[in-house]
Amino acid sequence: MSGHKNYLFTSESVSEGHPDKVSDRISDMVVDSYLSKDPFSRVACETLTTTNKVVLAGEVRGPEIKKDHIIEKVRNCIKDIGYDQKGFTWKEATKIESHLHSQSADIAMGVDSTSNKDEGAGDQGIMFGYACNETDVLMPAPIHYSHKILRLMAEDRKSGKLQNIEPDSKSQVTFEYVDGKPEKVKSIVISSQHSADINQSQVRDLLRPYMLKSIPQNFLKDFKEDEFYVNPTGNFVIGGPDGDCGLTGRKIIVDTYGGAAPHGGGAFSGKDPTKVDRSAAYVARYIAKNIVHSKISEKCLIQLAYAIGVSKPLSIYVDLFDDDLDKNKFVVEKIKDNFDLSPRGIREMLNLNKPIYEKTSAYGHFGRTPDDNGSFSWEKTDKTDIFLK
């Protein structure tokens, strides 16, 4: 997004009840189930959700977990999200199949550490990390506020404060940027599944407060009511996996930076932390966030590249968006000297071998608050001093 300075930029989010997010949640629940029994388990789980059916498939290596136990936990996920509808419910009417099986010995051989070789990356690929000073959590404004709208709606829906709104929702926020900075909100879209008991103008009245509560007043100056779009297609009673098939890993832009930064293409959910798709994207964000938090640049993009079975990254690329080549070189050297970017190094640095992934599956993996249990450790700003000259 460099080049011109004045532009409109839009990002979208989807709620935990969106079919793809239901799938992400279930896949991450499987990861957590294995890691809670053995922190070195290997998991690659894909989930499909559709009308009254959930199908799990993938590879695992670790403790034996009975199929019935996993299926019961799938039902708990669906119940917690809030689905008890004719076409998708946590109850017996929804059929759940698990086709998880043992990990390929060939993959294990390339990834495992031996006496003469450190553990290698679980796959080849490129991962990006990004941070900018547009919000207090160092995330781009459009994605940050898109997430916030849906997160607040879900909290009130689950507590009973927000009635007649169902779990499947999407939001989209367009910002006007002036001189490269977010100046004001140009338009907002919220589409939400609702009960058959209310009409569209009632849906609009129910959702307007969440837009107003989520976005700071200074960004809403000159905002016009006709730029607030609620359920633009009309009725949205049939939703969730009954309305649309869901798959793990289909919302990778929602999960990251809303399109404000490049994406390497690998999804996060359903993967244990030996998979660099997940862990290297987390550490790239961690480094970028600490760089921006140190105030040596207003934004930072990092790319890491890996080869399967090779422990160190093949390349480290840094862009500070300010054409200061000496500073760029300084930052690259600091990263090499202070961060072990092997898969094992990343996991130990960020303490990733824990059952901390289910809560990452909705409202973004970045811009979140680090938890006492170790989740969102990559959002800490404890390495800021490294980058201060």
Side-chain angles (χ1 to χ4, degrees):
M1 282 176 9
S2 56
H4 57 294
K5 297 284 191 179
N6 301 339
Y7 52 87
L8 299 179
F9 193 80
T10 306
S11 295
E12 70 149 352
S13 180
V14 299
S15 71
E16 63 204 77
H18 184 284
D20 294 331
K21 283 283 140 211
V22 177
S23 297
D24 284 344
R25 165 85 178 259
I26 291 167
S27 292
D28 274 337
M29 173 277 292
V30 173
V31 173
D32 283 356
S33 297
Y34 277 89
L35 291 178
S36 63
K37 287 184 177 290
D38 176 359
F40 299 101
S41 297
R42 302 289 168 83
V43 183
C45 173
E46 310 295 340
T47 304
L48 174 146
T49 53
T50 184
T51 304
N52 282 337
K53 196 178 211 36
V54 177
V55 181
L56 282 68
E59 303 80 49
V60 293
R61 181 150 57 104
E64 189 188 338
I65 300 181
K66 291 200 162 32
K67 195 179 277 195
D68 290 353
H69 183 64
I70 291 286
I71 287 171
E72 185 189 344
K73 285 188 148 193
V74 172
R75 293 197 189 282
N76 291 341
C77 288
I78 297 168
K79 186 178 186 179
D80 182 65
I81 292 166
Y83 277 115
D84 186 14
Q85 299 169 358
K86 188 166 165 252
F88 196 70
T89 174
W90 59 273
K91 294 173 182 159
E92 294 296 318
T94 292
K95 299 287 173 262
I96 300 168
E97 299 173 19
S98 175
H99 301 283
L100 296 168
H101 61 84
S102 293
Q103 185 189 45
S104 140
D106 290 351
I107 289 177
M109 185 175 66
V111 173
D112 290 350
S113 56
T114 56
S115 57
N116 62 351
K117 148 179 135 49
D118 193 14
E119 170 195 314
D123 203 353
Q124 71 171 49
I126 54 172
M127 295 85 211
F128 288 94
Y130 181 72
C132 62
N133 63 1
E134 293 178 15
T135 56
D136 57 352
V137 292
L138 306 186
M139 285 290 284
I143 187 72
H144 176 68
Y145 296 115
S146 295
H147 285 322
K148 193 171 179 185
I149 289 167
L150 297 182
R151 203 176 66 244
L152 295 180
M153 281 169 55
E155 283 167 11
D156 283 0
R157 175 177 59 77
K158 289 175 163 185
S159 73
K161 191 176 164 191
L162 177 59
Q163 299 278 331
N164 290 308
I165 294 297
E166 300 289 345
D168 189 2
S169 310
K170 298 172 92 164
S171 63
Q172 190 169 284
V173 178
T174 301
F175 266 84
E176 182 176 328
Y177 281 73
V178 175
D179 203 23
K181 296 277 181 205
E183 181 74 13
K184 59 183 180 182
V185 169
K186 195 76 176 136
S187 65
I188 296 171
V189 184
I190 309 177
S191 295
S192 185
Q193 187 187 14
H194 56 87
S195 76
D197 303 335
I198 56 171
N199 62 36
Q200 291 314 308
S201 100
Q202 289 168 301
V203 174
R204 188 182 188 89
D205 289 343
L206 283 172
L207 300 188
R208 188 184 291 102
Y210 294 94
M211 177 262 282
L212 295 172
K213 207 185 334 182
S214 299
I215 297 172
Q217 231 16 72
N218 59 307
F219 286 136
L220 291 173
K221 55 181 181 277
D222 312 326
F223 185 72
K224 297 178 175 60
E225 180 69 21
D226 63 359
E227 291 288 354
F228 179 42
Y229 301 91
V230 176
N231 288 359
T233 56
N235 248 20
F236 187 1
V237 174
I238 298 168
D242 185 29
D244 199 359
C245 180
L247 291 170
T248 302
R250 265 204 314 210
K251 286 290 174 280
I252 58 177
I253 301 301
V254 171
D255 284 344
T256 53
Y257 307 102
H263 196 299
F268 302 155
S269 290
K271 296 173 183 175
D272 74 75
T274 65
K275 319 284 192 281
V276 280
D277 276 345
R278 182 166 221 158
S279 55
Y282 288 173
V283 83
R285 160 67 179 173
Y286 180 54
I287 297 168
K289 186 173 184 181
N290 275 276
I291 289 169
V292 174
H293 191 256
S294 77
K295 296 192 162 52
I296 65 164
S297 71
E298 294 188 349
K299 51 184 177 171
C300 173
L301 176 71
I302 290 177
Q303 185 207 55
L304 303 173
Y306 289 85
I308 190 165
V310 180
S311 69
K312 293 287 186 225
L314 306 183
S315 65
I316 301 171
Y317 165 85
V318 176
D319 188 354
L320 302 174
F321 300 91
D322 60 5
D323 300 323
D324 184 336
L325 298 180
D326 288 338
K327 184 164 69 177
N328 212 81
K329 203 170 158 187
F330 164 82
V331 165
V332 172
E333 289 308 315
K334 288 291 181 189
I335 293 170
K336 287 178 178 170
D337 292 346
N338 292 279
F339 295 88
D340 178 353
L341 297 176
S342 67
R344 183 205 304 275
I346 295 169
R347 286 204 315 283
E348 290 175 357
M349 177 178 13
L350 296 177
N351 218 348
L352 297 180
N353 284 93
K354 289 180 162 185
I356 53 174
Y357 298 104
E358 197 176 331
K359 63 168 69 172
T360 65
S361 64
Y363 315 116
H365 293 245
F366 308 127
R368 307 286 291 274
T369 307
D371 242 342
D372 292 344
N373 71 349
S375 57
F376 305 108
S377 58
W378 50 93
E379 289 297 310
K380 288 180 179 169
T381 49
D382 55 350
K383 303 284 190 193
T384 301
D385 292 352
I386 289 169
F387 300 105
L388 295 172
K389 285 189 179 180

